Amino acid sequence: MAKIAYILLCHKDPEGIIAQAERLTAAGDFIAIHFDANARREDYDRIREALDGNRAVAFAARRVKCGWGEWSLVEATLQAVTAAEAAFPRATHFYMLSGDCMPIKTAEYAHAFLDRDDVDYIESFDFFQSDWIKTGIKAERLIYRHFFNERSHKWAFYTSMKLQDRFGLTRKIPADLQIQIGSQWWCLRRRTMEWLLDFIKRRGDVMRFFRTTWIPDETFFQTLVRHLVPEHEIRTRTLTFLMFTDYGMPVNFYNDQYDLLTSQDYLFARKVSPDAKALKDRLGKLYAATGVSFPISNEGRSLFKFLSGRGRVGRRFAPRFWETEASLGRERTLLIVVCKKWHIAKRLVERIRQVTGLPAVDYLFNEANTALPDLGGIQTTLEKRTRHRRALVRMLFDYWQTDQLVICIDPANVDLMQDFYSDRSNTRLLEVECDFTDDYLIGHARRVGLAGDRTPPETIDKLLPTIRYDVRFESDRIRDADFAGFQRIRQSVPPQENIVPLAAFLGISADKAREIAETDYLFVD
């Protein structure tokens, strides 16, 4: 059975470190601790005193002063790894943790998970080909030697790079290495760790190279594991659940996110807020529990993206200013049907086609597989359609040789509606207001990836009010925009009440509008 030696890098919260060590070792695992030499000596002494006598705890032989982005972080990790490898011969896996990590599964579950496959878990993507680095310098991390910290000595950091560039002092990457990049939160088998420790003893050139690279904790282990271990024995993922905001900052987890965390396909989570004492207490007790089953839904990232995008009009950004193209034509009329239930809007526009003969297109800006004629390639992707939307719609008018065209748009796309309303053509808008049952909203959450088949009911219950509000918010935004020619039909009223708005929207007689409004299957889910 798997026995885990946790490699804990920490620099604060001695009481939390003591609790973490006691919790993990009580379940039969081991822990090797490196406590940053920048931190207070009395905090370190308190940890040593509290854990003295616990034979499942080891400490790095030497404490290193750590700085973000520096080799010191890798050096500290190697100090703890070396201590663990010597002290715990029964350890089968080495798992990298920080003081902000908490278990989100039981030890029983973690051991069974690691026993399932004889592999290493580490993110390792090609440094140059992948898009793992989103901002900042890239190749410069490797080809220049970095002796200064970018955060604490910014001027010296960038001046050093400029001088190296000016005098042609770039260096080559060790020829036999293909540099990889990924998260520093890995879990490696004992055999892999022994190979790695032996490799660094033999390869002074590799050690010299990485000692002066920038942010080597994202490349050192990732590169060497990929160099030493067959590809089929590597899972390119981390077992620690972590997320980042749009600003590149780690997301903190709080007391009300216990169910969300335990339903993710990970063993630990980072970062749990220092203020989330109730969450820490629950997760701490969880690790030692037995017989616990975990319904894995794994919707955490998509759920966070959805929820964090709410609350600001624009809700993440102000309405975008899309590129403007030639007018659709002053004499043309664009009829926009807006409905959150796409199948109902499609049913409505099909009925409009049958009764009026008007050409109509379904969700051309929302569904990639919407049927469209060949328009020279502009219709091939959603990105192209949205970027060149006026040109696309103008070509549809020309293709059908018509002055009236019906299209469907999702209510979230208010910016599209505003752009078409700013055109010299005539634009009318029809909102189809539907009823939303809890079952429908749950199904919607699953379709868009906010929930899975095994998402706990507690998470669904918390999510439902947000989704319901989101639908209402989109409708309110459309009404607040005060679009001219705006009409609305509703599922909750008798069909005859929808005749007048349909007739006004389509510019047809009441008799024809009645044929459409009285379609008995129009609002069927």
Side-chain angles (χ1 to χ4, degrees), residues 471-489:
V471 172
R472 186 167 64 249
F473 178 87
E474 291 173 353
S475 180
D476 288 343
R477 280 189 70 197
I478 292 171
R479 297 176 199 183
D480 291 343
D482 198 25
F483 291 120
F486 173 76
Q487 303 290 338
R488 185 170 70 253
I489 64 173

Side-chain angles (χ1 to χ4, degrees), residues 347-366:
R347 202 176 290 152
L348 174 65
V349 298
E350 177 58 29
R351 194 75 180 109
I352 289 172
R353 288 189 196 98
Q354 294 170 356
V355 173
T356 68
L358 291 175
V361 186
D362 295 340
Y363 287 86
L364 71 167
F365 300 113
N366 303 104

Side-chain angles (χ1 to χ4, degrees), residues 231-498:
E231 184 174 0
H232 69 273
E233 294 183 18
I234 299 174
R235 298 290 181 269
T236 308
R237 58 161 296 187
T238 174
L239 297 180
T240 298
F241 181 60
L242 68 161
M243 297 189 296
F244 291 89
T245 68
D246 294 338
Y247 306 102
M249 301 300 293
V251 172
N252 282 275
F253 300 108
Y254 296 93
N255 289 333
D256 60 347
Q257 293 176 307
Y258 177 86
D259 293 323
L260 180 143
L261 291 177
T262 57
S263 65
Q264 304 311 304
D265 187 22
Y266 295 85
L267 304 184
F268 280 75
R270 182 180 187 273
K271 293 181 164 186
V272 175
S273 169
D275 298 323
K277 299 186 186 305
L279 176 61
K280 285 190 172 185
D281 184 60
R282 291 183 73 184
L283 292 175
K285 293 175 180 176
L286 174 68
Y287 192 71
T290 58
V292 181
S293 62
F294 295 93
I296 305 299
S297 59
N298 221 30
E299 79 289 347
R301 286 189 174 85
S302 58
L303 183 59
F304 173 77
K305 184 177 180 181
F306 169 74
L307 294 176
S308 62
R310 312 301 102 176
R312 302 198 295 272
V313 172
R315 280 165 310 166
R316 285 180 16 135
F317 305 98
R320 292 172 173 83
F321 225 2
W322 301 96
E323 66 182 66
T324 56
E325 303 190 50
S327 171
L328 303 183
R330 193 182 300 274
E331 73 288 351
R332 287 170 167 170
T333 300
L334 181 65
L335 305 169
I336 302 175
V337 175
V338 176
C339 183
K340 198 65 181 178
K341 290 187 177 181
W342 293 2
H343 62 286
I344 289 177
K346 292 175 183 179
R347 202 176 290 152
L348 174 65
V349 298
E350 177 58 29
R351 194 75 180 109
I352 289 172
R353 288 189 196 98
Q354 294 170 356
V355 173
T356 68
L358 291 175
V361 186
D362 295 340
Y363 287 86
L364 71 167
F365 300 113
N366 303 104
E367 282 190 307
N369 61 353
T370 296
L372 290 170
D374 185 353
L375 302 173
I378 194 174
Q379 81 290 346
T380 52
T381 67
L382 287 175
E383 183 184 10
K384 284 184 178 181
R385 296 178 203 172
T386 304
R387 186 188 309 128
H388 305 291
R389 54 180 168 269
R390 290 197 194 180
L392 173 69
V393 173
R394 187 175 68 250
M395 292 170 78
L396 290 173
F397 273 109
D398 293 340
Y399 177 83
W400 278 301
Q401 297 182 354
T402 182
D403 288 334
Q404 285 189 302
L405 176 67
V406 182
I407 65 172
C408 298
I409 293 180
D410 187 270
N413 300 133
V414 177
D415 54 340
L416 289 178
M417 304 172 211
Q418 290 171 325
D419 187 57
F420 284 124
Y421 261 92
S422 68
D423 188 71
R424 292 195 298 272
S425 62
N426 301 308
T427 305
R428 299 184 205 144
L429 188 69
L430 176 72
E431 181 186 14
V432 183
E433 184 182 284
C434 301
D435 300 334
F436 294 94
T437 64
D438 286 351
D439 286 344
Y440 179 85
L441 292 177
I442 292 171
H444 173 72
R446 287 175 176 149
R447 284 190 293 274
V448 298
L450 299 178
D453 292 337
R454 293 184 289 179
T455 299
E458 297 83 0
T459 302
I460 293 288
D461 290 342
K462 292 175 183 176
L463 186 59
L464 275 176
T466 304
I467 299 175
R468 190 175 294 280
Y469 171 78
D470 199 58
V471 172
R472 186 167 64 249
F473 178 87
E474 291 173 353
S475 180
D476 288 343
R477 280 189 70 197
I478 292 171
R479 297 176 199 183
D480 291 343
D482 198 25
F483 291 120
F486 173 76
Q487 303 290 338
R488 185 170 70 253
I489 64 173
R490 293 178 291 169
Q491 179 178 356
S492 59
V493 302
Q496 54 266 30
E497 291 190 27
N498 291 327

